[in-house]
Amino acid sequence: MPTKQSSRTRPLTLLSLGHACVDVYQGAVAALVPFFVAERAYTYAAASGIVLAAFLLSSVVQPLFGALTDRWALPWLLPVSTLLAGTGVALAGVGGSYALTLAAVAVSGVGVAAYHPEAARVARQASRGSHTAMAWFSLGGNLGFAAAPLMVSAAVATGGLRASPLLVVPALAGAALCVAALRSLRVPHAAAAAAAATAAEADGGTGRAAVRDDWRSFLKLSGAVVCRSIVFVGLSAFISLYARQRTGGGEVAGTAALFVLYLGGAVGTLAGGRLATRWGRLPVVRWSYALTVLAVAGVVLVPGPLLYLCVALTSAGLYVPFSLHITLGQDYLPRHMGTASGVTLGLTVSMGGLATPLIGALADAASLRVALAPLIALPALGWLLLRILPEPGAPGAAGGSDPPALQRATLRRP
């Protein structure tokens, strides 16, 4: 007989594993870049255009999916979007046409966009308002990122880009995990109950003051996440090539640097949830951005094997606030948690892909080191935006002094 504790943790565990399978395809696009450069002789700008294609449609449609999940529970999006994300990447290496490659990775980006707003909303309901539980959900995605270079290398290094259809396997596993999680959680009933509770409180149906959205704070938070995203996506696209130059190593040296960048997020994400429980979300997020300024400077300036240490510190600094961005955004917009999830987990992250072609063009004109140098300033700008943010629900914040509506709703069981 399953215990009461296992019945509570099972849905979140399955969701976390499914998240890992989906985010393999966010990491896979960047991991494929060196193979496109080597096998098809793409320039830096052309290769970064592939990264842009993966993120462009995602950044456009993600808020739409977030708005849809504000109105209706759409649990079926989880397995369907997982399969779409995997199919796009699997087809990316099949044709030699640059246009078809762009189209394939764009399809994958749409799948990723459709997945995240609904998944974040469902995971927050399953986590029952726990920062640590949401950190575990985010950890799943980070592990998927970390596994992507290894999976791509295993599939493509021996068979070439035409072996990319093998990369559909994680999508098949992820879709099955999503279905199992939804059955375990009974999402339609839970989502309906949470939505009804939130709507009743927002309309004053319970006799309490209406909960308001703090759009000003949310926009500042989103600006900081955009800064974080540009740094992360820019490094994801080029750290493999850059590590080869700075360390004098070959393909293994580049793959190792990308793996460290992704894997360091596992430690950072879990640490973020635990640190926030003890010290509060905003102090932890601010210190993380401050650390990232120094770490990115090390990546750009430090040569040799010490580069890997700087990459690891950068990864930790970028990932400690990752799950905290999600819960902060949801609590700033308690009446639009789907939109908040779509923006903090999707749109702002996707915006990093829009800046990647600029980095690639600058690298073609000068060097990769010169192109990556501006990334040092972005975490500092993010810190300035975060420095003046209030804690959601605190006296003086736009939402008033009531606890966030989302947290009250998720604490209720159907």
Side-chain angles (χ1 to χ4, degrees):
M1 290 290 292
T3 65
K4 185 176 181 180
Q5 180 65 24
S6 65
S7 65
R8 289 182 176 180
T9 58
R10 174 180 164 82
L12 193 62
T13 300
L14 293 171
L15 286 169
S16 299
L17 293 173
H19 193 191
C21 293
V22 172
D23 277 7
V24 161
Y25 300 108
Q26 293 207 78
V29 175
L32 284 168
V33 165
F35 295 98
F36 285 122
V37 172
E39 191 169 321
R40 298 182 180 175
Y42 288 166
T43 64
Y44 289 140
S48 61
I50 295 174
V51 178
L52 172 63
F55 286 100
L56 184 59
L57 272 181
S58 179
S59 66
V60 172
V61 303
Q62 194 128 214
L64 172 61
F65 284 110
L68 289 174
T69 59
D70 281 334
R71 295 179 61 87
W72 302 287
L74 302 173
W76 57 267
L77 268 180
L78 271 61
V80 171
S81 60
T82 301
L83 292 173
L84 191 63
T87 301
V89 166
L91 295 176
V94 174
S97 166
Y98 185 71
L100 290 178
T101 300
L102 293 178
V105 297
V107 167
S108 179
V110 172
V112 171
Y115 172 85
H116 281 99
E118 179 71 0
R121 185 188 60 75
V122 171
R124 185 73 188 271
Q125 189 274 329
S127 73
R128 302 173 65 141
S130 167
H131 297 320
T132 301
M134 282 299 290
W136 279 104
F137 170 71
S138 298
L139 173 64
N142 299 339
L143 291 177
F145 260 108
L150 304 181
M151 291 186 179
V152 168
S153 293
V156 179
T158 55
L161 288 172
R162 290 191 176 275
S164 64
L166 294 174
L167 296 173
V168 79
V169 173
L172 300 176
L177 288 165
C178 288
V179 171
L182 295 173
R183 287 179 176 175
S184 179
L185 188 60
R186 294 183 300 168
V187 170
H189 301 89
T198 303
E201 293 179 20
D203 293 338
T206 61
R208 286 193 289 265
V211 177
R212 293 176 292 162
D213 290 332
D214 185 358
W215 284 98
R216 178 178 298 180
S217 295
F218 179 76
L219 290 175
K220 292 176 183 176
L221 173 68
S222 299
V225 181
V226 168
C227 293
R228 181 256 181 209
S229 171
I230 294 173
V231 175
F232 179 75
V233 178
L235 289 177
S236 295
F238 295 111
I239 193 63
S240 181
L241 296 170
Y242 186 66
R244 297 184 194 185
Q245 296 178 5
R246 297 293 284 173
T247 64
E251 182 180 303
V252 173
T255 300
L258 189 59
F259 180 71
V260 169
L261 178 66
Y262 290 165
L263 186 63
V267 177
T269 300
L270 287 180
R274 296 183 180 276
L275 290 171
T277 300
R278 180 168 184 178
W279 302 106
R281 288 177 293 183
L282 284 172
V284 170
V285 171
R286 290 167 184 148
W287 277 107
S288 299
Y289 275 69
L291 168 65
T292 304
V293 176
L294 300 177
V296 175
V299 170
V300 174
L301 301 175
V302 173
L306 282 177
L307 171 71
Y308 293 102
L309 174 61
C310 296
V311 171
L313 291 174
T314 299
S315 179
L318 291 172
Y319 271 111
V320 162
F322 189 76
S323 66
L324 307 181
H325 290 150
I326 302 169
T327 59
L328 280 168
Q330 290 173 329
D331 289 347
Y332 282 131
L333 301 184
R335 300 178 67 178
H336 296 87
M337 57 181 172
T339 299
S341 301
V343 173
T344 55
L345 192 58
L347 175 61
T348 49
V349 175
S350 301
M351 290 296 289
L354 303 181
T356 306
L358 298 177
I359 299 174
L362 184 56
D364 285 330
S367 68
L368 265 179
R369 187 179 183 185
V370 171
L372 295 177
L375 300 183
I376 300 172
L378 290 172
L381 177 58
W383 179 85
L384 290 174
L385 291 170
L386 293 164
R387 185 171 175 267
I388 55 177
L389 281 182
E391 183 69 31
S401 58
D402 287 341
L406 175 62
Q407 184 172 343
R408 291 198 297 266
T410 52
L411 290 174
R412 294 181 176 84
R413 302 299 294 174

